[in-house]
Amino acid sequence: MKQKQSRPGETGFSRRGFLKGVGGAVGAAAVVSRVLEAPGLARADEITREGIRRVPAEGLEITLHVNGQERPVTVRPDQTLLEVLREQLGLTGTKEICDRGACGGCTVLLDGRSINSCLMLAVDAAGHEVRTVEGLVQDGRLDPVQQAFVDSDACQCGYCIPGFVVRSRALLDEFPNATPQQIRDGLAGNICRCAAYARIFEAVQTAAAGGNG
Ligand code: FES
Ligand code: FES
């Protein structure tokens, strides 16, 4: 493509380009400030210059509340909750499958509501209660939903199952006597590539019928 020629006296900078650059810098500063103001964050480092705070691209200290424990971690601002759970906290029950919010394999509870942890930044989870599939076990006893999956043999390769279990836990917390249709609707965001849906729905129905608590 033919390049635009500069006329004599032009510097190569345009007013429009300059404003775009300034806008980008202000936007980035706003993001950084928001990160620093989030609950549960400690400042790993900061440089104050003309009112702009900066944190390094890595080394942001935060405290996550996971499965009833406080877990201090050092994260990059762009790290997802899923990455931190698996790679730093060793909680590999939460699965990374699509990494784009399309399969439900990474489902965890955030303040009791199910979310896709691949879509949440770790810094945004600070100050909230995170529960993973490992955290559903209480005093060495499986959660009734987990037990129902075992009893119903609701699994083939098993890779999607932790996501289904956690999503089902949230569903039954909201609808303890969920109907088959409510179960299908509630689990619509979770994908099983082995197509073990019949056994999965049966397990959740069993947990619902058993009072699941
Ligand atoms: S890995 Fe998060 S939704 Fe698929
Ligand atoms: S059991 Fe294999 S993906 Fe669901």
Side-chain angles (χ1 to χ4, degrees), residues 90-159:
L91 295 167
T92 54
T94 306
K95 303 302 184 203
E96 179 177 345
I97 304 177
C98 70
D99 202 25
R100 61 186 62 189
C103 75
C106 63
T107 305
V108 299
L109 301 180
L110 189 86
D111 297 333
R113 304 192 61 156
S114 62
I115 61 146
N116 293 326
S117 59
C118 70
L119 294 183
M120 171 165 249
L121 293 176
V123 293
D124 286 336
H128 298 275
E129 179 61 42
V130 178
R131 193 161 292 275
T132 68
V133 70
E134 292 93 342
L136 295 183
V137 178
Q138 297 291 322
D139 301 323
R141 292 172 64 91
L142 294 179
D143 182 274
V145 175
Q146 293 171 310
Q147 189 64 55
F149 270 72
V150 172
D151 294 343
S152 299
D153 195 19
C155 140
Q156 288 191 32
C157 80
Y159 212 69

Side-chain angles (χ1 to χ4, degrees), residues 146-175:
Q146 293 171 310
Q147 189 64 55
F149 270 72
V150 172
D151 294 343
S152 299
D153 195 19
C155 140
Q156 288 191 32
C157 80
Y159 212 69
C160 69
I161 298 302
F164 271 101
V165 167
V166 176
R167 189 84 73 195
S168 300
R169 180 67 271 164
L171 175 69
L172 295 185
D173 284 344
E174 190 172 2
F175 304 107

